[in-house]
Amino acid sequence: MHSRSIRFTPFHVAGVVFLLAGLALAVYHGLAQFGVVPRFGWVSWSHIHYVTIGGFTQLIFGMLPQLTARHLERPPTPSWYDWTNFVALNGGFLLLWYGRGWGHPWAFDVGLYVIWLLVAGLFVVLLRMAFQSDRAWNATTGLYVVSVFVFLWGITYAYGLYAHVWQVPGGWLGLREAHVHANAWGFLGLAAIGTLYDLFPRILETDLYSERLKNGSAWFLVAGIFPLITGPWLGMGRTITATGLVLFAIGFALYLYTLVMTYREAPARPGIATALLASQFWMLGPAGFAPFVLFGVEWVSPAFIEDGALHFFFMGWALPIALVGVILYFRNLPCRRADKLGLADRIDPNDLLPHGVVPSILSRWTVLAWNVAILVVGFGFFYQDQSWSRFLFGPGYSVLALIWFGLLVQAIRLRRSLLAHPSSN
């Protein structure tokens, strides 16, 4: 059997750095909304993409090849592959950010090309592992492969949104919607769901409620994502997009039901598991509000609904998953320096989440405060044209920023606490 030891890659460090930078930019953006600091046009785009392309993509590039190799019992990618992708991905993101923020289309295009090629390479790597493995494909592996393939579509759509505006039936807004669906629900969503199907029962030290529901939900999710990334730019929101939304929603409902039942049957429920489960319900925000936009039911401005839906997705659903993943995995990954491994007596390097190493750093009160703040800020987005909405944004974002920063500090502290115990390996 191939060695499946988990490696610490530069992507893991970069993911944490980008999440910290995204937090700093989000705080600055919030202060600018109140006129406390000067406004800069590049901050609005940057604070979102530092978290998504920056933090989330770094973590996925660092983990997805290793997780897939473990599932399929294939050898992991070599170290040179990690470093080549790391340098190229961050170089491409730097060009992308410079071009978009300071109005240089050439830099944006080059950065986008580089990232597209890297994602295509990752897709080929995952496919090669799958076809060369003696093990049968499962729902998790399938979701990983499809998530990367859909990300290629999202990056392609980005090319038509800036400097090279494509004339499509759905217009620029339809293309942007398809871009968001591909990157958010397709890439981040499917990759995270595939991982949580395996991670969530491990945290609770129990078995997944139903493998049959897991497999069934994966088929609905995959069937639904492709109409969601094509219907908007085709201008067929009430037919193709709506069909995709129904299929994706059925798949997500099966997934959510499986996680809820797994949680209910667990002998113990740590705060981290509660935080993960609570975050899943925020995915219902974008799915629940989409019909109002699709069918023109304007109880508030459609643009405000989209803002609120994106907030529920990224801050309510995706960010807690990324932060919990950093807390759980960051400390368990063996250091690159042998003299500072610090994990020999407590951590199995062949297991990302060994038995009994779930940190107790998230109380239920913290989970409650985070989710109340998510709701308050989301309500503020729906009524952002009202003067009183700032009284929702201010307190809500303050709570979110403090918890966000605190969890990243805890992840770094847990990691550094291991360095004082040299490895005996």
Side-chain angles (χ1 to χ4, degrees):
M1 179 175 293
H2 297 284
S3 171
R4 294 181 289 154
S5 177
I6 303 302
R7 291 199 312 269
F8 185 77
T9 71
F11 288 113
H12 298 103
V13 177
V16 174
V17 170
F18 270 109
L19 288 175
L20 281 169
L23 169 61
L25 288 169
V27 170
Y28 188 94
H29 181 67
L31 293 174
Q33 296 291 97
F34 288 92
V36 178
V37 295
R39 285 175 178 257
F40 295 103
W42 56 269
V43 172
S44 178
W45 184 88
S46 298
H47 88 275
I48 296 173
H49 289 80
Y50 260 61
V51 174
T52 54
I53 296 180
F56 296 163
T57 304
Q58 299 282 338
L59 295 173
I60 289 177
F61 259 81
M63 296 304 298
L64 219 56
Q66 299 195 61
L67 291 173
T68 305
R70 286 175 53 78
H71 271 285
L72 298 175
E73 296 186 352
R74 297 297 302 163
T77 53
S79 295
W80 65 261
Y81 174 85
D82 294 334
W83 279 103
T84 301
N85 277 275
F86 175 73
V87 173
L89 179 64
N90 286 281
F93 178 70
L94 181 62
L95 286 169
L96 195 74
W97 176 65
Y98 173 71
R100 181 64 175 79
W102 279 268
H104 297 286
W106 68 267
F108 182 88
D109 291 349
V110 173
L112 202 65
Y113 294 151
V114 169
I115 294 174
W116 194 96
L117 290 173
L118 292 174
V119 175
L122 177 61
F123 177 66
V124 171
V125 166
L126 299 186
L127 271 184
R128 185 179 178 185
M129 287 184 185
F131 285 123
Q132 291 181 347
S133 174
D134 294 329
R135 299 192 65 181
W137 283 42
N138 56 31
T140 295
T141 305
L143 289 174
Y144 286 166
V145 173
V146 173
S147 72
V148 176
F149 179 70
V150 172
F151 192 27
L152 288 172
W153 287 83
I155 299 171
T156 303
Y157 294 154
Y159 183 82
L161 290 173
Y162 178 70
H164 310 280
V165 178
W166 291 347
Q167 300 301 318
V168 294
W172 187 87
L173 291 176
L175 189 62
R176 187 189 68 170
E177 182 181 348
H179 165 73
V180 172
H181 287 174
N183 289 3
W185 292 15
F187 176 50
L188 299 177
L190 297 182
I193 288 171
T195 301
L196 287 175
Y197 259 137
D198 293 333
L199 174 64
F200 195 66
R202 297 288 306 281
I203 296 173
L204 294 167
E205 298 184 9
T206 187
D207 295 325
L208 188 70
Y209 175 70
S210 171
E211 289 290 334
R212 183 179 179 183
L213 287 176
K214 171 184 175 180
N215 295 329
S217 69
W219 283 109
F220 277 107
L221 292 167
V222 171
I225 194 60
F226 289 102
L228 283 171
I229 67 173
T230 53
W233 66 266
L234 287 174
M236 305 181 72
R238 298 186 180 185
T239 52
I240 295 178
T241 307
T243 300
L245 179 63
V246 170
L247 292 172
F248 196 93
I250 293 173
F252 190 82
L254 293 175
Y255 155 77
L256 182 58
Y257 177 77
T258 304
L259 261 58
V260 169
M261 296 306 295
T262 303
Y263 183 84
R264 289 186 60 186
E265 294 183 354
R269 304 181 182 100
I272 281 182
T274 304
L276 278 177
L277 184 62
S279 68
Q280 304 311 301
F281 287 90
W282 291 116
M283 178 70 96
L284 302 177
F289 295 126
F292 292 106
V293 178
L294 287 175
F295 296 100
V297 181
E298 294 193 17
W299 55 284
V300 296
S301 168
F304 295 172
I305 294 177
E306 291 181 3
D307 288 342
L310 287 175
H311 162 75
F312 288 138
F313 179 89
F314 286 112
M315 296 292 291
W317 184 77
L319 185 57
I321 294 174
L323 292 173
V324 166
V326 168
I327 291 170
L328 290 175
Y329 290 157
F330 198 59
R331 73 184 298 267
N332 296 345
L333 293 163
C335 297
R336 301 186 69 86
R337 292 177 56 184
D339 62 328
K340 289 190 176 289
L341 189 60
L343 306 172
D345 298 330
R346 285 169 289 172
I347 304 298
D348 177 3
N350 293 317
D351 194 345
L352 277 167
L353 189 63
H355 176 77
V357 295
V358 178
S360 300
I361 63 173
L362 261 178
S363 70
R364 295 197 175 186
W365 287 108
T366 303
V367 175
L368 178 62
W370 174 273
N371 286 282
V372 169
I374 291 290
L375 179 62
V376 167
V377 172
F379 192 73
F381 272 115
F382 294 146
Y383 296 97
Q384 58 188 275
D385 57 339
Q386 303 295 320
S387 59
W388 48 264
S389 64
R390 65 174 55 194
F391 297 108
L392 301 178
F393 286 131
Y397 272 127
S398 296
V399 171
L400 294 176
L402 287 173
I403 297 176
W404 184 349
F405 180 73
L407 292 178
L408 288 175
V409 170
Q410 289 281 20
I412 296 171
R413 182 188 65 81
L414 289 169
R415 177 75 184 175
R416 290 182 60 83
S417 69
L418 298 173
L419 301 183
H421 305 280
S423 170
S424 59
N425 283 352

